[in-house]
Structures are given as structure tokens and as C-alpha cells.
């Protein structure tokens, strides 16, 4: 069959050779990254200056003194002070594959040597078509109908696009439901959906949202009743005015709080009775449960009208049913993602689906059980310092020092200094959470991370 010039270019043996050399060099240098390492005192002065410069130009200091050198090895990342850390937060759930993963590097090279830096809605390469097919087929494999996939560059934008489609379909209904303590992003719209006052302080109101209490495992029946009643009350107060319900099935930013199928079904029933679209926000949960999508894990396939993904997917997207298709003019974007991003997204998603990560016997569950067992032991040993663990799959959290915010912050910073990246989440109680680089982590890494967690707990009073 005739090949295009592009196909011939990408098959050129010189490119193959160049990529082989890059991989060889990478492997050789990665060999030197084998475990946690303290900062090099000789680099302290230059690193401090770099951090100061960064803070000055950025308009504020970084949460962690983290400036990477651009190389890592699986769960390990090297920082510019010469230190090596365990990355168990992965840019808040992005680097699923760990650092400097050879397969991802190769995918990125393929993107980097393609003709443009960015893809956008006027100009997309064949890589995008391949990616959309993969996402669409995987999303619909158990009967969901969200077959249309619209790429975007952030989770917040993927959510905005979903909201726009729902508002247009349900016009003139202009209210939304979301969950108490949910996180939806930081655009002007999403700042009013996210249930955190500090994230919208000083901002003009853009959306009317009614917040429904989230599922409570210790009061299964009660939490369903309370949530359904809260929905009905709001609908009674504002009849016909609710366009959609955005559901974060596992509340990530709140500290890995896990929902429940029966609970979601009860709320979805109220949605169906009142022409309210169901919007599943999977920006954080994508690729972190037994299924690629958390809505598949909770068996809500038939009910999803819109689904947003991000983070692990490397490029963000809004998936939607035919009956939510936007009218011409509502949506378009200069950028859908960089060529490297789109190429890497295909690699990562395909690997999640085919690499033995999913399912009850998959790697995610194995890592979860291992991590959970360790944290349970720590909670038994230091009951005054740690409780939990909480979460599901590759979203694991714990509470330290009773969920006190200042102490939790202090703990994460000390844990970072001792060699492990984690992050705080939620409030009253604050939790400390981990979003592991699933492709790169082995159980021995979890053993080491838990030893560092214990050391840090012991050091703190
Ligand atoms: C559930 C959820 N939705 C939306 C977002 C926003 O994504 P982004 O930060 O890429 O805009 C996040 C980010 O943490 C999230 O966890």
C-alpha cells in the first residue's frame, strides 16, 4: 500500500537509531537513581537561589522545595539539589507511569518530531484520531453511550465544556447540583461548583449550585435518605431550574472519600425524574480503580450523560452522548494538547488497559492491599498519630494527628524532607493522601515508603 511522506519519515531507520541511542543514554544515567538520597550540600547555595528566583518570578513560594532536574527512575525523581525522592503524589495524580518511563519517552519523542508543537481543533494529526477511538471504545465497552470525545488542556476546561453542553441542552434551566466538599477546578465557573469558600473569595458569582451531602459509609441508609431529601428539597424550591448534577464518584481533593453504587443510583433516579443530566467528573479517578473509568467500577454506565477525564489521561477530555451534542459555535479551542501529550496519552491509556493494572486481580488492587496493610499496622502501633487508611485502588489516604491542618501540613513537609512526596487534602479533617505512579511502583517501594512514613511520625510530636 502507498505510504505517505509522513509514514515514511516516522519509519526512517535513522529515527529508530536515534531513539535507540536516547534510550541507551537514559538507561545508563537512570542506573544512578536507585533510592532516596539526601541533598548534596555543595548544591545547597545554588538550589536556594534557584528557589528564590522561582518564587520571585512566580509570585509566591512553592509548596515543596521541588525543582526537578528532568530525570527520574520509576517512582524516584531527582531534584536540582541532588536529592532523590519517592514520588507518591505524581503532580497530584498525573505521572501514572512514574519518571522517565522509556515507553512514555518514546511516545513523547514521536510527538516532538512531528510537525507542530500543538494540536488544535482546526489542525489535528492522525494521532488524535487514534486516541479518540481508544477513549471512546473503552468508555462504552459495558454499554455507556458517551461515545463522543472532545479534547482540552485542563480538567477544569473539560468540566466547563461539559457544563456548557448540559446548560445548552437543558436551557433555560440554569442551576446545578454538586456534592458538598467536591472539587471541580478553578475557572470562574468551576470556582462556584467547587465547595471551598477560599477558592472563590473575591470572585463574582457565576453559577447557582446546590450542594448535596456526600456518601457516608458508616451511615449507608441514612446518607442515601439525607442526600435524596436534600435534592428533592432543592428541586421543590427551584422547580425545573436544575440542568445537571456533577458527581465526583471518589472525592479526591477532599481526601479520597469513596462513594457507593446504591447511593449514586438513588440520586440518579431523582435526576431522571426531573430531566437533570448526569455529569461524572473523573478528572482524578480515571485509571485509579479496578476499571479504567470509576463510573464503570460503580456500574453507572447506563446513566452517564457526560464524563470528564484528566490527569492520568495526560490530555483532558469531555465525553458526551449524542443527545448532548453542542450546537455549532458553542465549543472550540486553539489548543487540544501538544503533539507529545497526545502521543503519550495514547501510550499511557493503552498500557493501563492492556498492562494488567485493572480488575480484581490487577496491579492496582495488589498495590492498594499492600499499602493498606502497612498503614493499618502503623495506625495500630501509633493510634494517637495516625488513623485510616482510606480510599480505593490507587487513591490512598490517611489522617495524621487527628486531621489537624497545621500538623498535617508540617507532616507532609517533613515527609518530603525525609524523601517521600505526598499531599494534604480536605478540611475538618485534613487528610494526607498518595496518588502512586502505578506503572512504576512495586511492593518493595511501598515497604520503603511506609518505613519513611513511620520514621517521620516518630520524629513528630
Ligand atoms: C475531580 C477533579 N475535577 C477537576 C479538576 C481540575 O483539573 P485541572 O487542575 O487539570 O484543571 C481536578 C483537579 O484536581 C479534580 O480532582
Amino acid at each position: 500500500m502507498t505510504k505517505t511522506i509522513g509514514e515514511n519519515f516516522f519509519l526512517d531507520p535513522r529515527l529508530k537509531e536515534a531513539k535507540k541511542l536516547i534510550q541507551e543514554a537514559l538507561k545508563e544515567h537512570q542506573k544512578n537513581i536507585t533510592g532516596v538520597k539526601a541533598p548534596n550540600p555543595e548544591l545547597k547555595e545554588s538550589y536556594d537561589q534557584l528557589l528564590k528566583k522561582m518564587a520571585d518570578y512566580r509570585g509566591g513560594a512553592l509548596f515543596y522545595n521541588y525543582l526537578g532536574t528532568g530525570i527520574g527512575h520509576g517512582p524516584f525523581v531527582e531534584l536540582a539539589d541532588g536529592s532523590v525522592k519517592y514520588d507518591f503524589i505524581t503532580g497530584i495524580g498525573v505521572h501514572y507511569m512514574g519518571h522517565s518511563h522509556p515507553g512514555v519517552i518514546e511516545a513523547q519523542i514521536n510527538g516532538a518530531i512531528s510537525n507542530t508543537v500543538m494540536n488544535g481543533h482546526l489542525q489535528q494529526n492522525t494521532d488524535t484520531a487514534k486516541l479518540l477511538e481508544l477513549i471512546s471504545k473503552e468508555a462504552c465497552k459495558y454499554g455507556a453511550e458517551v461515545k463522543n470525545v472532545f479534547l482540552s488542556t485542563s480538567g477544569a476546561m473539560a468540566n466547563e465544556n461539559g457544563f456548557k453542553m448540559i446548560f445548552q441542552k437543558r436551557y433555560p434551566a440554569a442551576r446545578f447540583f454538586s456534592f458538598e466538599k467536591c472539587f471541580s477546578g478553578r475557572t470562574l465557573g468551576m470556582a462556584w461548583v467547587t465547595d471551598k469558600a477560599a477558592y472563590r473569595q473575591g470572585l463574582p458569582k457565576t453559577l447557582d449550585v446546590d450542594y448535596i451531602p456526600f456518601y457516608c459509609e458508616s451511615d449507608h441508609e441514612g446518607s442515601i435518605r439525607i442526600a435524596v431529601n436534600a435534592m428533592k428539597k432543592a428541586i421543590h424550591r427551584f422547580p425545573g431550574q436544575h440542568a445537571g448534577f456533577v458527581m465526583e464518584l471518589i472525592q479526591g481533593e477532599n481526601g479520597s472519600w469513596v462513594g457507593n453504587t446504591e447511593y449514586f443510583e438513588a440520586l440518579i433516579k431523582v435526576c431522571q425524574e426531573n430531566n437533570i443530566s448526569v455529569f461524572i467528573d473523573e478528572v482524578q479517578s480515571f485509571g485509579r480503580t479496578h476499571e479504567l473509568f470509576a463510573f464503570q467500577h460503580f456500574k453507572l454506565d447506563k446513566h452517564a450523560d457526560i464524563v470528564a477525564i484528566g490527569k492520568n489521561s495526560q490530555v483532558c477530555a469531555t465525553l458526551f452522548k449524542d443527545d448532548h451534542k453542542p450546537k455549532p459555535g458553542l465549543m472550540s479551542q486553539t489548543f487540544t494538547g501538544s503533539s507529545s501529550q497526545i502521543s503519550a496519552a495514547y501510550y499511557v491509556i493503552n498500557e493501563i488497559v492492556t498492562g494488567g493494572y485493572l480488575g480484581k486481580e490487577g496491579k492496582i488492587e495488589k498495590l492498594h492491599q499492600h499499602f493498606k496493610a502497612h498503614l493499618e499496622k502503623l495506625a495500630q502501633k501509633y493510634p494517637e498519630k495516625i488513623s485510616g487508611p482510606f480510599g480505593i485502588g490507587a487513591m490512598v489516604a490517611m489522617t495524621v494527628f487527628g486531621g489537624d491542618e497545621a500538623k498535617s501540613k508540617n507532616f507532609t513537609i517533613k515527609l518530603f524532607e525525609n524523601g517521600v512526596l505526598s499531599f494534604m487534602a480536605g478540611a475538618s479533617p485534613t487528610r494526607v493522601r498518595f496518588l502512586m505512579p502505578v506503572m512504576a511502583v512495586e511492593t518493595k517501594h511501598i515497604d520503603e515508603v511506609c518505613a519513611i512514613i513511620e520514621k517521620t511520625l516518630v520524629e513528630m510530636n
Side-chain angles (χ1 to χ4, degrees), residues 295-358:
F295 75 77
Q296 296 171 331
H297 172 83
F298 289 106
K299 302 201 177 340
L300 303 174
D301 303 72
K302 291 280 180 206
H303 307 305
D305 293 310
I306 303 268
V307 178
I309 60 170
K311 296 185 185 267
N312 279 338
S313 52
Q314 308 302 308
V315 63
C316 302
T318 313
L319 287 66
F320 54 100
K321 278 168 58 174
D322 279 343
D323 65 356
H324 279 67
K325 265 190 187 165
K327 294 196 176 107
L330 190 73
M331 283 160 48
S332 181
Q333 278 160 195
T334 305
F335 293 160
T336 47
S338 73
S339 306
S340 291
Q341 227 183 332
I342 287 166
S343 174
Y346 184 90
Y347 178 88
V348 172
I349 297 172
N350 189 51
E351 179 64 19
I352 298 176
V353 173
T354 58
Y357 302 96
L358 304 174

Side-chain angles (χ1 to χ4, degrees), residues 92 153-157 159 183-186 248 250 252-253 281-284 311 316:
I92 318 191
T153 47
S154 74
M157 198 59 218
N159 278 350
F183 184 82
S184 306
R186 293 171 184 273
E248 207 188 339
I250 305 152
E253 294 304 294
D281 177 351
E282 296 242 13
V283 171
Q284 191 154 148
K311 296 185 185 267
C316 302

Side-chain angles (χ1 to χ4, degrees), residues 116-309:
T116 54
V117 175
M118 300 298 279
N119 280 238
H121 282 149
L122 201 56
Q123 289 192 328
Q124 309 193 64
N125 288 344
T126 52
D127 276 356
T128 301
K130 210 170 106 182
L131 176 64
L132 300 194
E133 182 181 4
L134 175 66
I135 296 174
S136 178
K137 284 195 167 150
E138 285 301 321
C140 299
K141 71 179 172 193
Y142 303 128
E145 293 173 25
V146 285
K147 69 176 183 57
N148 308 287
V149 184
F150 188 95
L151 297 187
S152 51
T153 47
S154 74
M157 198 59 218
N159 278 350
E160 287 275 341
N161 287 332
F163 271 68
K164 283 164 79 175
M165 285 186 242
I166 289 177
F167 280 133
Q168 189 173 68
K169 178 177 170 61
R170 302 289 181 194
Y171 182 82
R175 298 186 76 84
F176 237 84
F177 281 115
S178 76
F179 289 126
E180 285 180 2
K181 297 192 175 185
C182 75
F183 184 82
S184 306
R186 293 171 184 273
T187 54
L188 267 179
M190 291 310 107
W192 287 92
V193 180
T194 294
D195 187 19
K196 198 145 185 185
Y199 293 0
R200 54 174 173 259
Q201 200 188 350
L203 304 184
K205 189 169 188 190
T206 51
L207 287 177
D208 284 314
V209 179
D210 295 302
Y211 299 97
I212 302 301
F214 194 65
Y215 178 68
C216 174
E217 203 183 341
S218 60
D219 184 15
H220 175 77
E221 297 295 337
S223 64
I224 295 176
R225 194 179 56 250
I226 289 165
V228 167
N229 285 344
M231 263 189 97
K232 288 187 173 166
K233 225 167 158 178
I235 292 168
H236 184 69
R237 186 170 288 140
F238 303 106
Q241 291 186 42
H242 291 90
F245 193 147
V246 61
M247 301 187 174
E248 207 188 339
L249 305 179
I250 305 152
Q251 292 196 315
E253 294 304 294
N254 190 30
S256 305
W257 294 75
V258 187
N260 168 276
T261 300
E262 215 183 310
Y263 166 84
F264 293 128
E265 280 176 343
L267 300 184
I268 289 169
K269 186 165 172 279
V270 182
C271 289
Q272 287 163 346
E273 288 163 359
N274 292 278
N275 292 324
I276 295 168
S277 299
V278 175
F279 182 158
I280 314 274
D281 177 351
E282 296 242 13
V283 171
Q284 191 154 148
S285 54
F286 181 78
R288 294 201 172 269
T289 65
H290 291 166
E291 299 286 352
L292 185 63
F293 292 85
F295 75 77
Q296 296 171 331
H297 172 83
F298 289 106
K299 302 201 177 340
L300 303 174
D301 303 72
K302 291 280 180 206
H303 307 305
D305 293 310
I306 303 268
V307 178
I309 60 170

Side-chain angles (χ1 to χ4, degrees), residues 30-74:
Q30 274 186 318
K31 264 199 224 140
N32 301 320
I33 304 176
T34 52
V36 168
K37 209 167 113 190
N40 181 343
E42 282 173 29
L43 297 173
K44 184 173 170 19
E45 203 181 323
S46 63
Y47 193 60
D48 287 350
Q49 277 169 9
L50 206 58
L51 287 168
K52 185 174 175 322
K53 208 192 263 183
M54 180 76 183
D56 287 348
Y57 284 118
R58 184 177 171 268
L62 297 162
F63 185 85
Y64 288 127
N65 289 339
Y66 177 119
L67 284 172
T69 59
I71 191 168
H73 192 184

Side-chain angles (χ1 to χ4, degrees), residues 34-38 76 83-86 417-420 448 452:
T34 52
V36 168
K37 209 167 113 190
F76 301 109
S83 69
V84 173
K85 312 275 186 204
Y86 260 117
E417 286 164 1
N418 285 338
V420 176
E448 282 177 25
I452 299 171

